[in-house]
Amino acid sequence: GLVNVIALCDVDMGASHTLKNMEAHPNAKQFQDFREMFDKMEKEFDAVSVGTPDFSHFPITILAMSQGKHVYVEKPLTRT
């Protein structure tokens, strides 16, 4: 109840964890590309939560910070 989820982004929209999140937030707009999400919804959100593999958490985080967004980054703890 403390957060209003307005957008979800995942490259694999058919993944079970993604489907659960889409069910939990049926009014959230859905994106497969974070750049498109930022382009279309930049003015509508204040913060992002990033939980991606090593190669992609940096560009998402830097883009969010460059737009003045608050960012929570969940870096992977292991390689596998």
Side-chain angles (χ1 to χ4, degrees):
L2 298 177
V3 176
N4 180 20
V5 177
I6 63 162
L8 297 169
C9 184
D10 196 324
V11 295
D12 185 1
M13 293 305 259
S16 62
H17 64 277
T18 304
L19 294 172
K20 287 178 189 175
N21 281 319
M22 290 188 312
E23 288 175 14
H25 307 285
N27 296 326
K29 294 180 183 172
Q30 301 167 8
F31 297 90
Q32 286 188 287
D33 187 326
F34 73 92
R35 296 164 294 196
E36 180 184 352
M37 181 183 74
F38 277 82
D39 286 345
K40 291 184 177 179
M41 302 194 67
E42 174 187 355
K43 306 276 187 227
E44 297 182 46
F45 61 89
D46 301 320
V48 297
S49 176
V50 182
T52 62
D54 277 336
F55 67 88
S56 61
H57 68 265
F58 176 80
I60 299 168
T61 300
I62 292 300
L63 177 59
M65 289 172 47
S66 72
Q67 294 179 358
K69 308 296 183 194
H70 299 278
V71 181
Y72 173 78
V73 181
E74 229 177 70
K75 186 175 178 182
L77 298 176
T78 62
R79 289 185 324 129
T80 61

